Amino acid sequence: MAGSEITSTEYIKHHLTNLTFGNHPVHGWSFAHNAEEAREMGFWAIHVDTMFWSLGLAVFFSYFFYKAAQKASSGVPGRLQNFVEMIVDFVENSVRGSFSGKNALVAPLALTIFCWVFLMNLMDLIPVDLLPYLLGEHGLHIAHFMRVVPSTDPNVTFAMAFGVFLLILYYSIKVKGVGGFVGELTGMPFQTDKLWLKPFTTVINLILEGVNLLAKPISLSLRLFGNMYAGEMIFILISLMYSAGWVMGIFGGTLQLVWAIFHILVITLQAFIFMTLTIVYLDMAHAEHH
Amino acid sequence: MNINLTLIAQLLSFAVFVWFTMKFVWPPLVKAMDERKAKIADGLAAAERGQHEQVLAQERATEYLHEAKQQAAEIKARAERQAAQLVEEAKEKAQAEGARQLAAAQAEIEQATNKAREELRARVAELAVAGAEKILRREIDAEAHKDIVEAVARQI
């Protein structure tokens, strides 16, 4: 829907700007009118579109599963229950396969992550211009900016990964104790009996293990963010073709179809990877190495 | 693309939703699934037991049937024997009855013959006497020749 008066760059930029509400140094608490204003708001700003869609999807997921859980019985399951149980069974198998400890949190955590990430990714399959158009200037006039795929917002992926990271730290310390955890960070992989060598190995180990530890949440969040951002970017680039004549339009339509079908695999895979890695990281946090 | 308050809000909502799932979604679902698993296992075991029992019952039924057949054959043989015996007895009885009736008839016949002979004898004597009387009336006295006439009559 790139109108004749805006350029491709503006079109892409518009699509990549969140609906931001925050404290602007000049305008005070208000919605940002463009990307620059959003940046100037600094930390004290909130992406309303991201919050709306992610919370909406999470509420949808919670309500859906809560309803199924309320009606769950050991009798013959209905369709809803069958579907929900299929997912639960899948998650439970994944947890049982990767997580050796005993923790009542891990499986529900994995289920939440899988379903939530999947639903957020699923928003990517809605044509990129549909919702912004309906809610924007030409439609309901609600919002100037609208990014409907929450997992393309690094805030979302970093928040999830950070939550997992906190759990990793919590369970590492809970299971191994502070001493055990510090020992794990400093006593590996280089070990020595000579006292004068100890400080060197400790520092090197701390650097290596620290990177190892920090890489977990960063890789977790960047992998999801990167995949979804790139996927969305390609959808946006494809939709640029619609403004370049009907030949390009048909070609773009075909491309969009192909990319969307391929993307079904990507969004499922990304949700699965996020869940599996969370389980694995928590399993490592529970494991005694020595 | 900016990192801002959204991060904190997302982190909090993430925690809330995980808590919700852990509290209200996961346990009832897993419980129901485990219960159903147990039920199915029980059902399968019961089915297997039933099948086993059916095989046993069938064996028993076959056995009963076999026994019943044997008994029936025995009863039949016994009945046949008895029937033959009855027929034999009846035949004997009939023969005996026949013989007895024959004997009775013969005796009756003999009696009748004897009686007839007696009567005839008496008549013949009378006739002879009458005849002789007629002859002798002309010739002789009946009283005088009576012994001769009787001797003749006795020879019949």
Side-chain angles (χ1 to χ4, degrees):
Chain A
M1 296 294 159
S4 51
E5 68 274 14
I6 62 170
T7 64
S8 301
T9 320
E10 279 168 345
Y11 175 76
I12 294 171
K13 231 177 173 176
H14 183 265
H15 261 295
L16 293 181
T17 307
N18 283 101
L19 180 66
T20 314
F21 182 80
N23 190 5
H24 191 263
V26 181
H27 308 296
W29 288 97
S30 59
F31 281 104
H33 295 96
N34 50 49
E36 285 69 39
E37 274 189 33
R39 198 172 304 120
E40 280 158 17
M41 284 174 179
F43 185 77
W44 296 107
I46 195 152
H47 292 161
V48 178
D49 48 0
T50 299
M51 289 309 292
F52 175 77
W53 291 111
S54 65
L55 289 188
L57 291 167
V59 167
F60 170 74
F61 152 74
S62 300
Y63 174 71
F64 194 71
F65 274 62
Y66 180 70
K67 232 176 101 180
Q70 287 297 297
K71 282 196 282 183
S73 73
S74 55
V76 179
R79 278 186 189 173
L80 169 76
Q81 204 189 332
N82 232 338
F83 174 69
V84 166
E85 281 184 9
M86 205 175 74
I87 297 172
V88 169
D89 204 40
F90 163 70
V91 172
E92 203 185 13
N93 279 335
S94 297
V95 171
R96 203 173 295 141
S98 309
F99 190 76
S100 50
K102 244 183 138 45
N103 191 333
L105 172 71
V106 175
L109 174 75
L111 178 69
T112 313
I113 287 176
F114 179 71
C115 292
W116 201 12
V117 172
F118 177 77
L119 286 174
M120 289 195 292
N121 293 353
L122 195 63
M123 297 297 288
D124 216 357
L125 294 183
I126 298 172
V128 281
D129 279 314
L130 183 63
L131 290 172
Y133 184 78
L134 287 178
L135 299 171
E137 266 80 60
H138 309 281
L140 296 172
H141 242 288
I142 291 174
H144 182 57
F145 297 109
M146 184 53 64
R147 289 184 74 188
V148 297
V149 192
S151 48
T152 55
D153 186 339
N155 285 301
V156 172
T157 62
F158 272 107
M160 278 183 131
F162 190 61
V164 172
F165 183 61
L166 288 181
L167 286 174
I168 291 173
L169 291 183
Y170 174 72
Y171 283 115
S172 288
I173 291 170
K174 192 186 169 196
V175 172
K176 299 156 193 163
V178 178
F181 185 45
V182 171
E184 197 177 277
L185 288 179
T186 55
M188 298 246 287
F190 297 110
Q191 285 164 323
T192 177
D193 292 328
K194 296 186 179 75
L195 204 61
W196 64 273
L197 263 175
K198 275 265 186 205
F200 297 104
T201 61
T202 301
V203 169
I204 292 172
N205 285 340
L206 189 60
I207 292 170
L208 288 174
E209 286 292 316
V211 167
N212 192 8
L213 186 67
L214 289 176
K216 285 172 184 171
I218 292 174
S219 67
L220 210 52
S221 55
L222 284 185
R223 181 183 303 107
L224 178 59
F225 165 70
N227 272 285
M228 297 322 294
Y229 189 77
E232 193 199 25
M233 199 63 166
I234 288 173
F235 275 124
I236 293 171
L237 291 177
I238 288 171
S239 68
L240 270 179
M241 292 181 186
Y242 296 138
S243 59
W246 62 271
V247 177
M248 283 299 272
I250 291 171
F251 181 62
T254 315
L255 262 185
Q256 183 170 349
L257 179 68
V258 171
W259 181 241
I261 291 172
F262 176 66
H263 219 56
I264 295 174
L265 175 71
V266 173
I267 61 179
T268 318
L269 195 64
Q270 286 306 319
F272 176 68
I273 288 173
F274 205 112
M275 176 191 80
T276 306
L277 285 180
T278 302
I279 298 169
V280 169
Y281 290 158
L282 284 175
D283 181 51
M284 285 160 77
H286 279 72
E288 302 264 10
H289 279 293
H290 312 292
Chain B
M1 284 293 293
N2 314 306
I3 295 291
N4 52 28
L5 204 56
T6 314
L7 182 80
I8 310 289
Q10 285 289 327
L11 187 58
L12 288 178
S13 35
F14 180 49
V16 169
F17 285 118
V18 170
W19 170 82
F20 182 84
T21 307
M22 190 179 155
K23 198 91 183 163
F24 299 109
V25 173
W26 187 266
L29 280 174
V30 170
K31 192 172 151 254
M33 285 164 78
D34 284 348
E35 270 172 16
R36 185 166 332 112
K37 234 177 256 174
K39 244 191 206 175
I40 290 171
D42 285 352
L44 285 178
E48 208 161 302
R49 224 168 24 241
Q51 230 158 13
H52 184 66
E53 260 160 36
Q54 200 212 351
V55 169
L56 283 186
Q58 213 146 25
E59 266 172 30
R60 225 166 13 221
T62 318
E63 215 169 278
Y64 281 146
L65 201 66
H66 187 68
E67 229 168 79
K69 263 188 197 160
Q70 233 168 3
Q71 267 174 359
E74 234 167 73
I75 289 170
K76 194 177 151 211
R78 213 185 304 150
E80 267 170 7
R81 242 185 353 258
Q82 227 161 7
Q85 209 176 324
L86 277 180
V87 169
E88 205 63 36
E89 268 170 27
K91 228 190 256 171
E92 267 169 33
K93 227 185 253 175
Q95 263 172 355
E97 181 70 18
R100 195 180 60 77
Q101 276 180 1
L102 193 63
Q106 268 172 351
E108 220 171 295
I109 291 167
E110 207 157 317
Q111 223 175 343
T113 315
N114 284 347
K115 202 178 164 190
R117 199 176 282 156
E118 254 354 277
E119 269 174 28
L120 201 59
R121 202 177 275 154
R123 296 278 298 201
V124 165
E126 261 174 51
L127 277 177
V129 172
E133 211 178 39
K134 271 177 192 164
I135 299 164
L136 287 176
R137 196 163 285 167
R138 272 183 244 167
E139 297 175 15
I140 48 171
D141 182 26
E143 289 296 314
H145 294 95
K146 196 184 177 190
D147 60 329
I148 304 167
V149 173
E150 268 182 5
V152 171
R154 211 174 285 132
Q155 275 170 2
I156 294 170

